[in-house]
Amino acid sequence: MRSHEIDYRLIGDDMQVVEVELDPHETVIAEAGAMAWMEDGIGFEAKMGDGTETDNGFFGKVLGAGKRLVTGESLFMTHFTNRGAGKKIVAFGAPYPGKIIPMDMAEHGNAITCQKDAFLCAAMGTKIDISFSRKIGRGLFGGEGFIMERLSGDGMAFLHAGGTVVQKELKGETIFVDTGCVVAYTDGIDFDIQKAGGLKSMIFGGEGIFLAVLKGHGTVYLQSLPFSRLADRILQAAPGGGGNDQGEGSVLGGLSNIFENR
């Protein structure tokens, strides 16, 4: 199934939005809740699956949707279609500070493997599947890197990454990465998990117990701020997590504490 040809425009810097321009009858698929705004004439519908299972029948769609439950994603995806006469725009926003990565699948061998929470939206015709590791080390200890999503197609797909995005081209080299910092990689890259040094380093190093090992020939996308790391820092700073509520130096901050303690 050939993907729909869509145009797009990125807006913003650290909290980016991608505006997708659809010709009449063109469709873009997205994760539930990703839409920011859309023009009149855009119709949307929650469907089970990505729309590539048309020949698989009902049970094929259920199986495909069931795989998404394994990754912790919604059972349904939202399909946005231009039902008007001219070009229409629908926009999708990043869920937390970072960058949106436009990915022309045709330039990446028509397939890419990404973290399960990196996918934002894609042209209709893009198949979204899950990728399990057959390696025991990665399967048992991979954490964020265990269950990945595999995107395949020949159109545009958009990924979201936290913080700064770094693109690395590997030509037989090997790099070691925090498991949460891996956003995506192309075919030709071998991905595995290994222990991070000795026992002392694993306990006191503060870099996590395991590291992702990527090697081979292909492209790797890395992020400087995984959402899990951002969430941990927020929880640590919150009063309930042991942090101190400074009230940001505001009189209102002190007043709110007075009312909370009554």
mmCIF file of all heavy atoms in Angstrom, residues 22 26 88 92 107-108 118 149 167 188 245:
data_model
loop_
_atom_site.group_PDB
_atom_site.id
_atom_site.type_symbol
_atom_site.label_atom_id
_atom_site.label_comp_id
_atom_site.label_asym_id
_atom_site.label_seq_id
_atom_site.Cartn_x
_atom_site.Cartn_y
_atom_site.Cartn_z
ATOM 1 N N LEU A 22 -3.126 18.586 3.800
ATOM 2 C CA LEU A 22 -3.734 17.460 3.107
ATOM 3 C C LEU A 22 -4.494 17.929 1.877
ATOM 4 O O LEU A 22 -5.284 18.875 1.945
ATOM 5 C CB LEU A 22 -4.702 16.729 4.045
ATOM 6 C CG LEU A 22 -4.113 16.107 5.316
ATOM 7 C CD1 LEU A 22 -5.226 15.493 6.160
ATOM 8 C CD2 LEU A 22 -3.061 15.066 4.972
ATOM 9 N N GLU A 26 -6.880 12.981 1.142
ATOM 10 C CA GLU A 26 -5.660 12.491 1.781
ATOM 11 C C GLU A 26 -5.891 12.332 3.284
ATOM 12 O O GLU A 26 -6.685 13.060 3.892
ATOM 13 C CB GLU A 26 -4.487 13.441 1.532
ATOM 14 C CG GLU A 26 -3.886 13.327 0.146
ATOM 15 C CD GLU A 26 -2.649 14.184 -0.024
ATOM 16 O OE1 GLU A 26 -2.453 15.124 0.771
ATOM 17 O OE2 GLU A 26 -1.878 13.919 -0.971
ATOM 18 N N LYS A 88 -6.305 21.470 3.091
ATOM 19 C CA LYS A 88 -6.659 21.725 4.481
ATOM 20 C C LYS A 88 -5.498 21.333 5.390
ATOM 21 O O LYS A 88 -4.675 20.493 5.033
ATOM 22 C CB LYS A 88 -7.910 20.927 4.884
ATOM 23 C CG LYS A 88 -9.149 21.243 4.045
ATOM 24 C CD LYS A 88 -9.636 22.669 4.267
ATOM 25 C CE LYS A 88 -10.880 22.955 3.444
ATOM 26 N NZ LYS A 88 -11.383 24.329 3.617
ATOM 27 N N PHE A 92 -0.283 18.771 14.732
ATOM 28 C CA PHE A 92 -0.037 17.852 15.837
ATOM 29 C C PHE A 92 1.077 18.415 16.704
ATOM 30 O O PHE A 92 2.108 18.875 16.197
ATOM 31 C CB PHE A 92 0.349 16.469 15.303
ATOM 32 C CG PHE A 92 -0.683 15.885 14.388
ATOM 33 C CD1 PHE A 92 -0.576 16.051 13.013
ATOM 34 C CD2 PHE A 92 -1.774 15.195 14.890
ATOM 35 C CE1 PHE A 92 -1.536 15.526 12.157
ATOM 36 C CE2 PHE A 92 -2.743 14.675 14.047
ATOM 37 C CZ PHE A 92 -2.628 14.844 12.678
ATOM 38 N N GLU A 107 13.560 7.408 2.093
ATOM 39 C CA GLU A 107 15.000 7.668 2.175
ATOM 40 C C GLU A 107 15.679 6.826 3.243
ATOM 41 O O GLU A 107 16.897 6.914 3.431
ATOM 42 C CB GLU A 107 15.238 9.152 2.454
ATOM 43 C CG GLU A 107 14.756 10.073 1.334
ATOM 44 C CD GLU A 107 15.007 11.522 1.646
ATOM 45 O OE1 GLU A 107 15.518 11.814 2.760
ATOM 46 O OE2 GLU A 107 14.703 12.384 0.795
ATOM 47 N N HIS A 108 14.908 6.038 3.980
ATOM 48 C CA HIS A 108 15.465 5.206 5.055
ATOM 49 C C HIS A 108 15.141 3.724 4.838
ATOM 50 O O HIS A 108 14.914 2.981 5.793
ATOM 51 C CB HIS A 108 14.928 5.659 6.413
ATOM 52 C CG HIS A 108 15.429 6.999 6.855
ATOM 53 N ND1 HIS A 108 14.865 8.179 6.417
ATOM 54 C CD2 HIS A 108 16.456 7.353 7.667
ATOM 55 C CE1 HIS A 108 15.511 9.200 6.954
ATOM 56 N NE2 HIS A 108 16.478 8.728 7.706
ATOM 57 N N ALA A 118 7.763 7.265 20.731
ATOM 58 C CA ALA A 118 8.318 8.303 19.859
ATOM 59 C C ALA A 118 7.385 8.661 18.704
ATOM 60 O O ALA A 118 7.418 9.779 18.201
ATOM 61 C CB ALA A 118 9.678 7.852 19.298
ATOM 62 N N GLU A 149 8.690 0.003 18.376
ATOM 63 C CA GLU A 149 7.727 0.065 17.284
ATOM 64 C C GLU A 149 8.479 0.081 15.962
ATOM 65 O O GLU A 149 9.518 0.732 15.849
ATOM 66 C CB GLU A 149 6.841 1.315 17.393
ATOM 67 C CG GLU A 149 5.769 1.209 18.448
ATOM 68 C CD GLU A 149 4.780 2.357 18.410
ATOM 69 O OE1 GLU A 149 5.138 3.431 17.896
ATOM 70 O OE2 GLU A 149 3.662 2.185 18.902
ATOM 71 N N GLN A 167 21.682 13.133 15.327
ATOM 72 C CA GLN A 167 21.652 12.099 14.296
ATOM 73 C C GLN A 167 23.072 11.613 14.043
ATOM 74 O O GLN A 167 23.976 12.406 13.761
ATOM 75 C CB GLN A 167 21.058 12.660 13.003
ATOM 76 C CG GLN A 167 21.026 11.668 11.848
ATOM 77 C CD GLN A 167 20.395 12.258 10.595
ATOM 78 O OE1 GLN A 167 19.647 13.232 10.666
ATOM 79 N NE2 GLN A 167 20.703 11.676 9.443
ATOM 80 N N GLY A 188 19.983 -2.314 9.432
ATOM 81 C CA GLY A 188 21.434 -2.349 9.313
ATOM 82 C C GLY A 188 22.118 -2.061 10.631
ATOM 83 O O GLY A 188 23.316 -2.268 10.775
ATOM 84 N N ASP A 245 9.117 22.584 48.090
ATOM 85 C CA ASP A 245 8.304 23.528 47.319
ATOM 86 C C ASP A 245 8.771 24.940 47.634
ATOM 87 O O ASP A 245 8.522 25.470 48.714
ATOM 88 C CB ASP A 245 6.827 23.356 47.697
ATOM 89 C CG ASP A 245 5.923 24.266 46.882
ATOM 90 O OD1 ASP A 245 6.457 24.957 45.984
ATOM 91 O OD2 ASP A 245 4.709 24.275 47.135
#
